[in-house]
Amino acid sequence: MGIEFSFIVIDDSELDCFVTQKFLERTNKSLIIKTFQHAQHALEIIQKDFNENNSVPTIIFLDLQMPFMNGFKFVEEFEKFSPEIQKNYKIIILTILSSSTNPIDIHRILTYGAVNSIVEKPLTKEKLVLLLNQVRADI
Amino acid sequence: MSGKIKILYVDDEPENLVGFKASLRLDYQILTAVNVPQAIIILNEHPEIRVVFCDQRMPGKTGVDFFEEIRMTHPLPVRIMLTAYTDVESIIDAINKGNIFRFVKKPWIEADIIWAIDEANKFYMANSMLSVKNDELQKAYNELNKFAYSVSHDIRGPLSGILGAINLASEIDDVEEMKEMLFLMEKSVKKLDAYVLSMHDYYSLQRGELKITEIDFNKVIDELKAIYSVLAKINNVTFDITIDQGEVFRSDYAPLRLIFNNLLSNAFKYQDRNNKSKSVEMTVEVKNSVATIHVKDNGIGILGSHVGEIFNLFYRSNSLEVGSGFGLYNVKSALLKLNGQIEVQSVLHQGTTFKVTIPSI
């Protein structure tokens, strides 16, 4: 089978990146996980990796509230990539949902093709297993 | 002169203007115009005019036309119609189109005019107060909006991170991995703590009254020096302080300490990690009842386009370091209380210098 998924974690909190990464490592021994504290850096890598002809399906765990480039902006920028790049990725929004999060924004972000689902922090093992099954069904 | 209420009277008959001016000029500053174009010029030159009287029947534009026009272009002055023609049509027009405040019949008696001016002035004051309050409310509302974002990002964020780590902890057997996680958890807790502390600063600054005492800058700095010298040693930063105070200085200790603490904290926080000779320099000079403080670092600097924003609440120019977005906003609020000024000079990758001047109170 080889590697089923590769992962990208985007979160400005170091601790959250660490926790998500460790949970992922526990679901599967052989996988590639990249973590980014800046959404912009993740975009650059996605662009670069495609040139190297990478075709392993990649799941992006994306936080919404980040300084500089927030999650909404990231998805908007991601949508500008060519369909060949986009089809390799599934985005899972991993965020804090609060009354200050605009429901219209949430609704809008779910209409993007690449966005698979939205999950409230903190991540748990159970949530992760469910999410991965959901992505498998989506591919 | 400047204490008098400014009034504009527009009438095509010069003798009416002269009479009006003669009886009222002692109590008010009266400006006059014989036609509408002249009146508009005066209104543009004197934005502080509070009351405008106008005759209804004038060649060219009528009083109603004039009021209808300035209602849009000069909404602040209170409009009063002064006319001998009291037919119902012109009254209705004056009210509906000109949205006038009062209607005074010619020939007028002084008491009527003075009463009308008094009432108009009260109305003007209430309106301007309302617009000041509106601005304040808008500002408070904007801050509240940012605060709502900040609560979820800066308070719930670290909490949910720590909760996630606790969930994960039951899965971890490796001690090194656990230690790494505990280190990151500690960082999150510290960040949250710093945030709550500066929020406390923010509210005490917004509410508290000034407590003026004599300030010995050596004492103020000694306390901070103890904290920052340790930080300087750990991070290998040269830390120099020069204090030159030859005279008595009076101010409020708490906001003063907050200013020093935030500026020093920033100077150490935003250092360039790769720099071999990191330095922070602080000078305090008290002269002619003014304290001038310089805090200079050779750190990462601030991007030119961000400099204008750094004093805004919750603004963070850099996400690499722990910052709450409260610090410089609090510095600015503290300086506002102490009647002080702040200037910043910064070059990206070369460093930042803050210059603060505070007058003795």
Side-chain angles (χ1 to χ4, degrees), chain A residues 40-54:
Chain A
Q40 180 69 45
H41 294 168
L43 280 176
E44 285 158 17
I45 293 295
I46 289 169
Q47 177 95 56
K48 206 177 116 236
D49 276 3
F50 180 71
N51 295 339
E52 289 164 10
N53 224 346
N54 184 340

Side-chain angles (χ1 to χ4, degrees), chain A residues 12 14 16 26 38 65 68, chain B residues 152-153 161 177 187 317 319:
Chain A
D12 63 315
E14 231 180 309
D16 287 16
R26 275 159 179 74
H38 291 271
Q65 293 172 319
F68 303 112
Chain B
S152 81
H153 183 261
E177 211 170 56
K187 257 173 100 171
S317 165
S319 73

